[in-house]
């Protein structure tokens, strides 16, 4: 009986001891010495994790773009390509005003002296003397070839970038809408792309430039931008369509539909941003392709018109005098080749950096 009574005795609560005034508080967990885990075992991932968290050491997260940038920097050819592209771009932008300020030569400056109205070799002045005035020589009219090559870099880059942006706007919109709609609409839209693929696009560009030929050099340049961009969007549309087809049944798209988000908003706010990786890679590879097409059109006389010049038009002029004045072809040709090779290296590096299979390495 006594044992039963002892078992059912109430335990009186013990009042916590009061901390005397002036006693410093306990040290924080992260500064306590020893290997004591201050977290319940069922909540702790591991002793090392708990101790590192108590010490204030947290693992920093990484994003897709940060990992892609790190992989891109490990690609030596891509890094060299980036450096060359940056140098040629800055030289094309800053070179002509510097040349004008230091020497007074511009891309269209023709000297008044009769003895200067001919093509001089690089670093050569009148009577064959050495001169720093023309590091790349002059053309048939005595114009400084360095200033014209740098101006040609401006226009060639403008042609490549603007035409690529036009193809991006058309191709991304067309492909994303086609992939999102699906069904008969997708089939019809892709058959239109197949029909356009079967036509020689250079012939289309020539026809467009011949039909809408402008009387001014600037107007002809704008038509060249639009014509090249309007026929370069077909592959972009197919790439974006394939990405949208693989994304449109994902959970985030279904959640957006369930909350009442409209179709255009789903396409351009949810699907297109998630397809930017392949789009960026293909856009990087499209720029050199468009620049090469512009050079080919300049050979045919449908490119940039005088007094402006591009690398393609300079090469077209230089090939006519290749046997007599080879520097007129060598300098614009080598500069254009460097830019095209570098852009292709950068595009290949971006493709490898954004490849999902490469993320595990």
């Amino acid at each position: 009986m006594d044992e039963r009574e002892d078992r059912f005795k109430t335990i009186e609560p013990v009042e916590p001891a009061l901390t005397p005034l002036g006693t410093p508080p306990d040290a924080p967990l992260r500064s306590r010495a020893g290997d004591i885990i201050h977290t319940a075992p069922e909540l702790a991932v591991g002793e090392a994790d708990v101790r590192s968290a108590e010490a204030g050491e947290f693992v920093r997260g990484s994003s897709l773009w940060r990992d892609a940038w790190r992989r891109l920097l490990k690609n030596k050819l891509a890094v060299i390509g980036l450096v060359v592209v940056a140098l040629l771009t800055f030289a094309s932008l800053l070179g002509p005003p510097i040349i004008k300020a230091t020497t007074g030569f511009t891309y269209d400056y023709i000297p008044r002296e009769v003895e200067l109205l001919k093509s001089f070799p690089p670093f050569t002045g009148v009577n064959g003397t050495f001169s720093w005035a023309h590091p790349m020589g002059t053309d048939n009219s005595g114009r400084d070839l360095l200033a014209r090559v740098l101006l040609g870099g401006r226009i060639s880059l403008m042609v490549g970038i603007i035409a690529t942006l036009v193809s991006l706007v058309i191709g991304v919109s067309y492909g994303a809408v086609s992939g999102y709609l699906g069904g008969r609409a997708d089939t019809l839209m892709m058959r239109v792309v197949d029909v356009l693929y079967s036509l020689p696009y250079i012939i289309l560009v020539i026809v467009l430039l011949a039909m809408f030929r402008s009387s001014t050099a600037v107007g002809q340049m704008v038509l060249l931008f639009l014509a090249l961009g309007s026929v370069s969007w077909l592959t972009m549309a197919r790439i974006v369509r394939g990405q949208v087809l693989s994304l449109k049944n994902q959970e985030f798209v279904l959640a957006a539909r369930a909350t009442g988000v409209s179709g255009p908003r789903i396409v351009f706010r949810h699907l297109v941003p998630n397809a930017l990786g392949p789009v960026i890679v293909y856009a990087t590879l499209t720029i050199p392709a468009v620049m090469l097409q512009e050079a080919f059109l300049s050979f045919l006389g449908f490119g940039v018109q005088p007094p402006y010049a591009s690398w393609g038009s300079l090469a077209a002029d230089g090939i006519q005098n290749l046997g007599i004045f080879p520097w007129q072809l060598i300098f614009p040709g080598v500069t254009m080749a460097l830019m095209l090779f570098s852009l292709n290296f950068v595009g290949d590096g971006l493709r490898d950096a954004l490849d999902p299979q490469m993320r595990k390495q």
Side-chain angles (χ1 to χ4, degrees):
M1 199 66 178
D2 295 338
E3 294 179 357
R4 292 179 184 177
E5 291 177 358
D6 291 340
R7 281 164 53 185
F8 290 103
K9 278 184 178 179
T10 57
I11 300 175
E12 297 181 359
V14 179
E15 296 183 358
L18 299 176
T19 304
L21 295 175
T23 303
D26 293 338
L29 295 180
R30 63 175 178 271
S31 63
R32 292 182 183 177
D35 296 332
I36 303 175
I37 298 178
H38 302 285
T39 307
E42 61 272 12
L43 300 178
V45 178
E47 182 179 354
D49 296 336
V50 175
R51 285 205 303 268
S52 63
E54 290 179 357
E57 301 173 2
F58 298 98
V59 179
R60 185 180 180 182
S62 181
S63 64
L64 167 65
W65 300 105
R66 187 180 293 113
D67 292 339
W69 177 251
R70 291 173 182 171
R71 285 192 295 270
L72 181 65
L73 293 180
K74 294 179 182 178
N75 191 327
K76 295 182 179 180
L77 285 178
V79 173
I80 294 174
L82 280 173
V83 173
V84 173
V85 169
L87 290 177
L88 289 178
T89 302
F90 281 115
S92 299
L93 294 176
L94 303 178
I98 293 177
I99 293 175
K100 183 179 180 180
T102 54
T103 63
F105 299 138
T106 60
Y107 68 93
D108 57 350
Y109 174 75
I110 299 177
R112 298 179 180 179
E113 295 81 0
V114 179
E115 62 272 11
L116 298 179
L117 296 177
K118 61 180 181 178
S119 182
F120 289 96
F123 298 105
T124 303
V126 183
N127 300 325
T129 58
F130 180 84
S131 174
W132 290 96
H134 306 290
M136 290 186 180
T138 60
D139 62 359
N140 294 337
S141 301
R143 292 173 294 191
D144 183 60
L145 197 57
L146 176 59
R148 291 183 65 78
V149 167
L150 295 180
L151 176 79
R154 283 186 182 182
I155 296 180
S156 293
L157 288 173
M158 285 176 58
V159 170
I161 293 173
I162 296 178
T164 301
L165 290 177
V166 173
S167 69
L168 279 176
V169 172
I170 300 174
V172 170
S173 303
Y174 193 93
V177 172
S178 176
Y180 181 74
L181 293 177
R184 294 182 178 179
D186 179 34
T187 303
L188 178 61
M189 294 176 73
M190 284 299 104
R191 294 299 77 78
V192 173
V193 172
D194 293 337
V195 170
L196 294 177
Y197 252 123
S198 63
L199 302 175
Y201 63 92
I202 287 294
I203 302 298
L204 291 178
V205 174
I206 293 175
V207 170
L208 290 174
L209 292 176
M211 289 177 58
F212 303 99
R213 198 172 185 90
S214 177
S215 58
T216 62
V218 176
Q220 185 69 15
M221 199 183 308
V222 173
L223 286 176
L224 182 64
F225 297 156
L226 297 178
L228 287 173
S230 61
V231 298
S232 304
W233 60 272
L234 301 176
T235 304
M236 182 67 69
R238 282 188 167 182
I239 292 174
V240 175
R241 172 185 174 268
Q243 293 293 315
V244 170
L245 286 176
S246 63
L247 291 172
K248 70 176 185 178
N249 292 323
Q250 297 290 331
E251 288 80 2
F252 68 94
V253 179
L254 299 178
R257 289 178 184 169
T259 55
V261 179
S262 61
R265 189 177 181 86
I266 292 176
V267 171
F268 294 104
R269 292 293 299 273
H270 296 278
L271 292 175
V272 171
N274 283 279
L276 282 182
V279 169
I280 293 174
V281 172
Y282 185 73
T284 309
L285 296 174
T286 302
I287 294 175
V290 172
M291 292 171 63
L292 199 59
Q293 293 166 11
E294 183 274 329
F296 176 71
L297 291 173
S298 296
F299 273 103
L300 301 179
F302 292 96
V304 179
Q305 302 298 318
Y308 300 103
S310 67
W311 286 332
S313 63
L314 290 174
D317 295 337
I319 202 171
Q320 299 176 5
N321 304 315
L322 180 60
I324 307 174
F325 310 123
W327 55 87
Q328 294 185 12
L329 175 63
I330 291 174
F331 288 109
V334 170
T335 308
M336 182 173 65
L338 279 175
M339 178 62 79
L340 294 180
F341 276 121
S342 301
L343 286 173
N344 279 293
F345 289 151
V346 173
D348 291 339
L350 283 174
R351 181 190 59 197
D352 296 338
L354 294 172
D355 188 0
Q357 300 298 327
M358 299 290 292
R359 299 178 197 173
K360 301 177 182 179
Q361 300 181 1

PDB file of all heavy atoms in Angstrom, residues 199-230:
ATOM      1  N   LEU A 199      13.189  27.530 -99.869  1.00  0.00           N
ATOM      2  CA  LEU A 199      13.576  28.607-100.780  1.00  0.00           C
ATOM      3  C   LEU A 199      14.985  29.083-100.446  1.00  0.00           C
ATOM      4  O   LEU A 199      15.355  29.171 -99.273  1.00  0.00           O
ATOM      5  CB  LEU A 199      12.595  29.780-100.670  1.00  0.00           C
ATOM      6  CG  LEU A 199      11.127  29.461-100.967  1.00  0.00           C
ATOM      7  CD1 LEU A 199      10.275  30.689-100.694  1.00  0.00           C
ATOM      8  CD2 LEU A 199      10.949  28.983-102.397  1.00  0.00           C
ATOM      9  N   PRO A 200      15.791  29.404-101.432  1.00  0.00           N
ATOM     10  CA  PRO A 200      17.136  29.947-101.159  1.00  0.00           C
ATOM     11  C   PRO A 200      17.034  31.358-100.571  1.00  0.00           C
ATOM     12  O   PRO A 200      16.611  32.293-101.252  1.00  0.00           O
ATOM     13  CB  PRO A 200      17.810  29.957-102.537  1.00  0.00           C
ATOM     14  CG  PRO A 200      16.686  29.957-103.514  1.00  0.00           C
ATOM     15  CD  PRO A 200      15.536  29.249-102.880  1.00  0.00           C
ATOM     16  N   TYR A 201      17.415  31.490 -99.302  1.00  0.00           N
ATOM     17  CA  TYR A 201      17.153  32.751 -98.604  1.00  0.00           C
ATOM     18  C   TYR A 201      18.006  33.887 -99.151  1.00  0.00           C
ATOM     19  O   TYR A 201      17.594  35.050 -99.082  1.00  0.00           O
ATOM     20  CB  TYR A 201      17.380  32.573 -97.094  1.00  0.00           C
ATOM     21  CG  TYR A 201      18.796  32.227 -96.716  1.00  0.00           C
ATOM     22  CD1 TYR A 201      19.716  33.212 -96.400  1.00  0.00           C
ATOM     23  CD2 TYR A 201      19.218  30.904 -96.650  1.00  0.00           C
ATOM     24  CE1 TYR A 201      21.002  32.905 -96.042  1.00  0.00           C
ATOM     25  CE2 TYR A 201      20.508  30.578 -96.300  1.00  0.00           C
ATOM     26  CZ  TYR A 201      21.395  31.577 -95.993  1.00  0.00           C
ATOM     27  OH  TYR A 201      22.678  31.264 -95.648  1.00  0.00           O
ATOM     28  N   ILE A 202      19.196  33.595 -99.694  1.00  0.00           N
ATOM     29  CA  ILE A 202      19.995  34.673-100.279  1.00  0.00           C
ATOM     30  C   ILE A 202      19.269  35.279-101.476  1.00  0.00           C
ATOM     31  O   ILE A 202      19.278  36.499-101.686  1.00  0.00           O
ATOM     32  CB  ILE A 202      21.382  34.141-100.687  1.00  0.00           C
ATOM     33  CG1 ILE A 202      22.235  33.898 -99.438  1.00  0.00           C
ATOM     34  CG2 ILE A 202      22.093  35.125-101.597  1.00  0.00           C
ATOM     35  CD1 ILE A 202      22.597  35.153 -98.672  1.00  0.00           C
ATOM     36  N   ILE A 203      18.596  34.427-102.251  1.00  0.00           N
ATOM     37  CA  ILE A 203      17.807  34.939-103.375  1.00  0.00           C
ATOM     38  C   ILE A 203      16.674  35.821-102.863  1.00  0.00           C
ATOM     39  O   ILE A 203      16.373  36.880-103.448  1.00  0.00           O
ATOM     40  CB  ILE A 203      17.247  33.779-104.218  1.00  0.00           C
ATOM     41  CG1 ILE A 203      18.387  32.901-104.730  1.00  0.00           C
ATOM     42  CG2 ILE A 203      16.418  34.298-105.381  1.00  0.00           C
ATOM     43  CD1 ILE A 203      19.356  33.604-105.639  1.00  0.00           C
ATOM     44  N   LEU A 204      16.061  35.415-101.741  1.00  0.00           N
ATOM     45  CA  LEU A 204      14.999  36.242-101.157  1.00  0.00           C
ATOM     46  C   LEU A 204      15.526  37.599-100.721  1.00  0.00           C
ATOM     47  O   LEU A 204      14.876  38.626-100.931  1.00  0.00           O
ATOM     48  CB  LEU A 204      14.372  35.512 -99.964  1.00  0.00           C
ATOM     49  CG  LEU A 204      13.536  34.271-100.260  1.00  0.00           C
ATOM     50  CD1 LEU A 204      13.042  33.649 -98.957  1.00  0.00           C
ATOM     51  CD2 LEU A 204      12.362  34.610-101.156  1.00  0.00           C
ATOM     52  N   VAL A 205      16.707  37.601-100.109  1.00  0.00           N
ATOM     53  CA  VAL A 205      17.295  38.872 -99.676  1.00  0.00           C
ATOM     54  C   VAL A 205      17.585  39.761-100.882  1.00  0.00           C
ATOM     55  O   VAL A 205      17.302  40.974-100.870  1.00  0.00           O
ATOM     56  CB  VAL A 205      18.583  38.609 -98.868  1.00  0.00           C
ATOM     57  CG1 VAL A 205      19.283  39.927 -98.548  1.00  0.00           C
ATOM     58  CG2 VAL A 205      18.261  37.876 -97.587  1.00  0.00           C
ATOM     59  N   ILE A 206      18.134  39.190-101.938  1.00  0.00           N
ATOM     60  CA  ILE A 206      18.433  39.976-103.134  1.00  0.00           C
ATOM     61  C   ILE A 206      17.153  40.538-103.748  1.00  0.00           C
ATOM     62  O   ILE A 206      17.097  41.700-104.178  1.00  0.00           O
ATOM     63  CB  ILE A 206      19.207  39.106-104.151  1.00  0.00           C
ATOM     64  CG1 ILE A 206      20.587  38.764-103.580  1.00  0.00           C
ATOM     65  CG2 ILE A 206      19.343  39.828-105.483  1.00  0.00           C
ATOM     66  CD1 ILE A 206      21.375  37.813-104.449  1.00  0.00           C
ATOM     67  N   VAL A 207      16.099  39.718-103.765  1.00  0.00           N
ATOM     68  CA  VAL A 207      14.822  40.194-104.308  1.00  0.00           C
ATOM     69  C   VAL A 207      14.262  41.323-103.468  1.00  0.00           C
ATOM     70  O   VAL A 207      13.779  42.346-103.994  1.00  0.00           O
ATOM     71  CB  VAL A 207      13.820  39.024-104.400  1.00  0.00           C
ATOM     72  CG1 VAL A 207      12.424  39.537-104.721  1.00  0.00           C
ATOM     73  CG2 VAL A 207      14.268  38.027-105.461  1.00  0.00           C
ATOM     74  N   LEU A 208      14.330  41.178-102.134  1.00  0.00           N
ATOM     75  CA  LEU A 208      13.831  42.233-101.254  1.00  0.00           C
ATOM     76  C   LEU A 208      14.619  43.527-101.432  1.00  0.00           C
ATOM     77  O   LEU A 208      14.041  44.622-101.491  1.00  0.00           O
ATOM     78  CB  LEU A 208      13.893  41.771 -99.796  1.00  0.00           C
ATOM     79  CG  LEU A 208      12.913  40.670 -99.379  1.00  0.00           C
ATOM     80  CD1 LEU A 208      13.204  40.214 -97.951  1.00  0.00           C
ATOM     81  CD2 LEU A 208      11.487  41.163 -99.492  1.00  0.00           C
ATOM     82  N   LEU A 209      15.943  43.420-101.521  1.00  0.00           N
ATOM     83  CA  LEU A 209      16.762  44.619-101.685  1.00  0.00           C
ATOM     84  C   LEU A 209      16.561  45.260-103.055  1.00  0.00           C
ATOM     85  O   LEU A 209      16.652  46.488-103.193  1.00  0.00           O
ATOM     86  CB  LEU A 209      18.239  44.262-101.487  1.00  0.00           C
ATOM     87  CG  LEU A 209      18.656  43.865-100.069  1.00  0.00           C
ATOM     88  CD1 LEU A 209      20.114  43.449-100.038  1.00  0.00           C
ATOM     89  CD2 LEU A 209      18.420  45.005 -99.094  1.00  0.00           C
ATOM     90  N   ALA A 210      16.284  44.418-104.074  1.00  0.00           N
ATOM     91  CA  ALA A 210      16.054  44.973-105.407  1.00  0.00           C
ATOM     92  C   ALA A 210      14.687  45.636-105.524  1.00  0.00           C
ATOM     93  O   ALA A 210      14.533  46.665-106.190  1.00  0.00           O
ATOM     94  CB  ALA A 210      16.200  43.868-106.450  1.00  0.00           C
ATOM     95  N   MET A 211      13.673  45.053-104.846  1.00  0.00           N
ATOM     96  CA  MET A 211      12.321  45.610-104.918  1.00  0.00           C
ATOM     97  C   MET A 211      12.206  46.908-104.136  1.00  0.00           C
ATOM     98  O   MET A 211      11.538  47.850-104.570  1.00  0.00           O
ATOM     99  CB  MET A 211      11.307  44.589-104.402  1.00  0.00           C
ATOM    100  CG  MET A 211      11.093  43.388-105.312  1.00  0.00           C
ATOM    101  SD  MET A 211       9.956  42.187-104.575  1.00  0.00           S
ATOM    102  CE  MET A 211       8.493  43.211-104.346  1.00  0.00           C
ATOM    103  N   PHE A 212      12.832  46.962-102.962  1.00  0.00           N
ATOM    104  CA  PHE A 212      12.688  48.129-102.089  1.00  0.00           C
ATOM    105  C   PHE A 212      13.992  48.921-102.015  1.00  0.00           C
ATOM    106  O   PHE A 212      14.367  49.424-100.956  1.00  0.00           O
ATOM    107  CB  PHE A 212      12.270  47.686-100.682  1.00  0.00           C
ATOM    108  CG  PHE A 212      11.006  46.890-100.651  1.00  0.00           C
ATOM    109  CD1 PHE A 212      11.052  45.508-100.578  1.00  0.00           C
ATOM    110  CD2 PHE A 212       9.773  47.509-100.724  1.00  0.00           C
ATOM    111  CE1 PHE A 212       9.880  44.763-100.542  1.00  0.00           C
ATOM    112  CE2 PHE A 212       8.600  46.779-100.695  1.00  0.00           C
ATOM    113  CZ  PHE A 212       8.658  45.395-100.615  1.00  0.00           C
ATOM    114  N   ARG A 213      14.683  49.015-103.112  1.00  0.00           N
ATOM    115  CA  ARG A 213      15.978  49.687-103.129  1.00  0.00           C
ATOM    116  C   ARG A 213      15.820  51.167-102.783  1.00  0.00           C
ATOM    117  O   ARG A 213      14.944  51.847-103.312  1.00  0.00           O
ATOM    118  CB  ARG A 213      16.630  49.533-104.502  1.00  0.00           C
ATOM    119  CG  ARG A 213      18.128  49.808-104.504  1.00  0.00           C
ATOM    120  CD  ARG A 213      18.758  49.456-105.835  1.00  0.00           C
ATOM    121  NE  ARG A 213      20.198  49.606-105.788  1.00  0.00           N
ATOM    122  CZ  ARG A 213      21.036  48.642-105.443  1.00  0.00           C
ATOM    123  NH1 ARG A 213      20.563  47.457-105.114  1.00  0.00           N
ATOM    124  NH2 ARG A 213      22.336  48.844-105.414  1.00  0.00           N
ATOM    125  N   SER A 214      16.683  51.638-101.893  1.00  0.00           N
ATOM    126  CA  SER A 214      16.619  53.027-101.445  1.00  0.00           C
ATOM    127  C   SER A 214      17.624  53.865-102.221  1.00  0.00           C
ATOM    128  O   SER A 214      18.666  53.382-102.681  1.00  0.00           O
ATOM    129  CB  SER A 214      16.909  53.109 -99.942  1.00  0.00           C
ATOM    130  OG  SER A 214      16.918  54.442 -99.503  1.00  0.00           O
ATOM    131  N   SER A 215      17.323  55.140-102.340  1.00  0.00           N
ATOM    132  CA  SER A 215      18.202  56.056-103.061  1.00  0.00           C
ATOM    133  C   SER A 215      19.330  56.599-102.194  1.00  0.00           C
ATOM    134  O   SER A 215      20.283  57.188-102.709  1.00  0.00           O
ATOM    135  CB  SER A 215      17.393  57.236-103.612  1.00  0.00           C
ATOM    136  OG  SER A 215      16.726  57.921-102.554  1.00  0.00           O
ATOM    137  N   THR A 216      19.254  56.420-100.874  1.00  0.00           N
ATOM    138  CA  THR A 216      20.284  56.897 -99.959  1.00  0.00           C
ATOM    139  C   THR A 216      21.047  55.723 -99.370  1.00  0.00           C
ATOM    140  O   THR A 216      20.530  54.600 -99.270  1.00  0.00           O
ATOM    141  CB  THR A 216      19.667  57.738 -98.832  1.00  0.00           C
ATOM    142  OG1 THR A 216      18.776  56.914 -98.068  1.00  0.00           O
ATOM    143  CG2 THR A 216      18.890  58.909 -99.406  1.00  0.00           C
ATOM    144  N   ALA A 217      22.275  55.992 -98.942  1.00  0.00           N
ATOM    145  CA  ALA A 217      23.109  54.933 -98.367  1.00  0.00           C
ATOM    146  C   ALA A 217      22.554  54.464 -97.024  1.00  0.00           C
ATOM    147  O   ALA A 217      22.574  53.269 -96.714  1.00  0.00           O
ATOM    148  CB  ALA A 217      24.543  55.432 -98.200  1.00  0.00           C
ATOM    149  N   VAL A 218      22.016  55.399 -96.219  1.00  0.00           N
ATOM    150  CA  VAL A 218      21.456  55.014 -94.919  1.00  0.00           C
ATOM    151  C   VAL A 218      20.191  54.178 -95.110  1.00  0.00           C
ATOM    152  O   VAL A 218      19.981  53.168 -94.417  1.00  0.00           O
ATOM    153  CB  VAL A 218      21.164  56.275 -94.081  1.00  0.00           C
ATOM    154  CG1 VAL A 218      20.500  55.894 -92.766  1.00  0.00           C
ATOM    155  CG2 VAL A 218      22.445  57.042 -93.818  1.00  0.00           C
ATOM    156  N   GLY A 219      19.337  54.577 -96.047  1.00  0.00           N
ATOM    157  CA  GLY A 219      18.131  53.796 -96.308  1.00  0.00           C
ATOM    158  C   GLY A 219      18.447  52.412 -96.816  1.00  0.00           C
ATOM    159  O   GLY A 219      17.784  51.428 -96.428  1.00  0.00           O
ATOM    160  N   GLN A 220      19.461  52.279 -97.657  1.00  0.00           N
ATOM    161  CA  GLN A 220      19.868  50.968 -98.138  1.00  0.00           C
ATOM    162  C   GLN A 220      20.411  50.107 -96.999  1.00  0.00           C
ATOM    163  O   GLN A 220      20.186  48.886 -96.963  1.00  0.00           O
ATOM    164  CB  GLN A 220      20.926  51.129 -99.227  1.00  0.00           C
ATOM    165  CG  GLN A 220      21.362  49.835 -99.894  1.00  0.00           C
ATOM    166  CD  GLN A 220      20.269  49.226-100.752  1.00  0.00           C
ATOM    167  OE1 GLN A 220      19.282  49.883-101.075  1.00  0.00           O
ATOM    168  NE2 GLN A 220      20.455  47.963-101.118  1.00  0.00           N
ATOM    169  N   MET A 221      21.086  50.732 -96.049  1.00  0.00           N
ATOM    170  CA  MET A 221      21.614  49.994 -94.910  1.00  0.00           C
ATOM    171  C   MET A 221      20.480  49.472 -94.023  1.00  0.00           C
ATOM    172  O   MET A 221      20.514  48.333 -93.554  1.00  0.00           O
ATOM    173  CB  MET A 221      22.548  50.905 -94.102  1.00  0.00           C
ATOM    174  CG  MET A 221      23.494  50.158 -93.175  1.00  0.00           C
ATOM    175  SD  MET A 221      24.493  51.312 -92.194  1.00  0.00           S
ATOM    176  CE  MET A 221      25.158  52.357 -93.488  1.00  0.00           C
ATOM    177  N   VAL A 222      19.457  50.301 -93.805  1.00  0.00           N
ATOM    178  CA  VAL A 222      18.306  49.874 -93.007  1.00  0.00           C
ATOM    179  C   VAL A 222      17.579  48.728 -93.699  1.00  0.00           C
ATOM    180  O   VAL A 222      17.161  47.741 -93.053  1.00  0.00           O
ATOM    181  CB  VAL A 222      17.361  51.066 -92.761  1.00  0.00           C
ATOM    182  CG1 VAL A 222      16.080  50.595 -92.078  1.00  0.00           C
ATOM    183  CG2 VAL A 222      18.040  52.133 -91.918  1.00  0.00           C
ATOM    184  N   LEU A 223      17.414  48.814 -95.012  1.00  0.00           N
ATOM    185  CA  LEU A 223      16.788  47.721 -95.752  1.00  0.00           C
ATOM    186  C   LEU A 223      17.609  46.436 -95.648  1.00  0.00           C
ATOM    187  O   LEU A 223      17.049  45.334 -95.569  1.00  0.00           O
ATOM    188  CB  LEU A 223      16.630  48.116 -97.219  1.00  0.00           C
ATOM    189  CG  LEU A 223      15.539  49.137 -97.540  1.00  0.00           C
ATOM    190  CD1 LEU A 223      15.578  49.488 -99.023  1.00  0.00           C
ATOM    191  CD2 LEU A 223      14.166  48.601 -97.165  1.00  0.00           C
ATOM    192  N   LEU A 224      18.924  46.577 -95.617  1.00  0.00           N
ATOM    193  CA  LEU A 224      19.782  45.403 -95.468  1.00  0.00           C
ATOM    194  C   LEU A 224      19.575  44.747 -94.109  1.00  0.00           C
ATOM    195  O   LEU A 224      19.495  43.516 -94.009  1.00  0.00           O
ATOM    196  CB  LEU A 224      21.245  45.817 -95.646  1.00  0.00           C
ATOM    197  CG  LEU A 224      22.292  44.710 -95.578  1.00  0.00           C
ATOM    198  CD1 LEU A 224      22.114  43.731 -96.718  1.00  0.00           C
ATOM    199  CD2 LEU A 224      23.691  45.305 -95.606  1.00  0.00           C
ATOM    200  N   PHE A 225      19.462  45.563 -93.049  1.00  0.00           N
ATOM    201  CA  PHE A 225      19.187  45.021 -91.717  1.00  0.00           C
ATOM    202  C   PHE A 225      17.889  44.215 -91.715  1.00  0.00           C
ATOM    203  O   PHE A 225      17.837  43.073 -91.235  1.00  0.00           O
ATOM    204  CB  PHE A 225      19.084  46.144 -90.679  1.00  0.00           C
ATOM    205  CG  PHE A 225      20.345  46.941 -90.498  1.00  0.00           C
ATOM    206  CD1 PHE A 225      20.293  48.232 -90.003  1.00  0.00           C
ATOM    207  CD2 PHE A 225      21.581  46.401 -90.822  1.00  0.00           C
ATOM    208  CE1 PHE A 225      21.448  48.968 -89.832  1.00  0.00           C
ATOM    209  CE2 PHE A 225      22.748  47.134 -90.657  1.00  0.00           C
ATOM    210  CZ  PHE A 225      22.669  48.418 -90.159  1.00  0.00           C
ATOM    211  N   LEU A 226      16.839  44.826 -92.234  1.00  0.00           N
ATOM    212  CA  LEU A 226      15.519  44.194 -92.205  1.00  0.00           C
ATOM    213  C   LEU A 226      15.473  42.956 -93.097  1.00  0.00           C
ATOM    214  O   LEU A 226      14.861  41.937 -92.724  1.00  0.00           O
ATOM    215  CB  LEU A 226      14.450  45.202 -92.636  1.00  0.00           C
ATOM    216  CG  LEU A 226      14.292  46.434 -91.737  1.00  0.00           C
ATOM    217  CD1 LEU A 226      13.238  47.374 -92.312  1.00  0.00           C
ATOM    218  CD2 LEU A 226      13.914  46.024 -90.325  1.00  0.00           C
ATOM    219  N   ALA A 227      16.109  43.029 -94.264  1.00  0.00           N
ATOM    220  CA  ALA A 227      16.060  41.891 -95.184  1.00  0.00           C
ATOM    221  C   ALA A 227      16.795  40.685 -94.616  1.00  0.00           C
ATOM    222  O   ALA A 227      16.290  39.550 -94.670  1.00  0.00           O
ATOM    223  CB  ALA A 227      16.657  42.298 -96.534  1.00  0.00           C
ATOM    224  N   LEU A 228      17.976  40.914 -94.037  1.00  0.00           N
ATOM    225  CA  LEU A 228      18.715  39.795 -93.459  1.00  0.00           C
ATOM    226  C   LEU A 228      18.013  39.234 -92.228  1.00  0.00           C
ATOM    227  O   LEU A 228      17.983  38.017 -92.021  1.00  0.00           O
ATOM    228  CB  LEU A 228      20.138  40.244 -93.098  1.00  0.00           C
ATOM    229  CG  LEU A 228      21.095  40.476 -94.263  1.00  0.00           C
ATOM    230  CD1 LEU A 228      22.405  41.085 -93.782  1.00  0.00           C
ATOM    231  CD2 LEU A 228      21.362  39.175 -95.008  1.00  0.00           C
ATOM    232  N   GLY A 229      17.435  40.110 -91.418  1.00  0.00           N
ATOM    233  CA  GLY A 229      16.725  39.627 -90.234  1.00  0.00           C
ATOM    234  C   GLY A 229      15.444  38.903 -90.552  1.00  0.00           C
ATOM    235  O   GLY A 229      15.053  37.951 -89.849  1.00  0.00           O
ATOM    236  N   SER A 230      14.779  39.299 -91.638  1.00  0.00           N
ATOM    237  CA  SER A 230      13.489  38.692 -91.969  1.00  0.00           C
ATOM    238  C   SER A 230      13.612  37.290 -92.536  1.00  0.00           C
ATOM    239  O   SER A 230      12.605  36.573 -92.617  1.00  0.00           O
ATOM    240  CB  SER A 230      12.737  39.579 -92.967  1.00  0.00           C
ATOM    241  OG  SER A 230      13.476  39.709 -94.173  1.00  0.00           O
TER     242      SER A 230
END
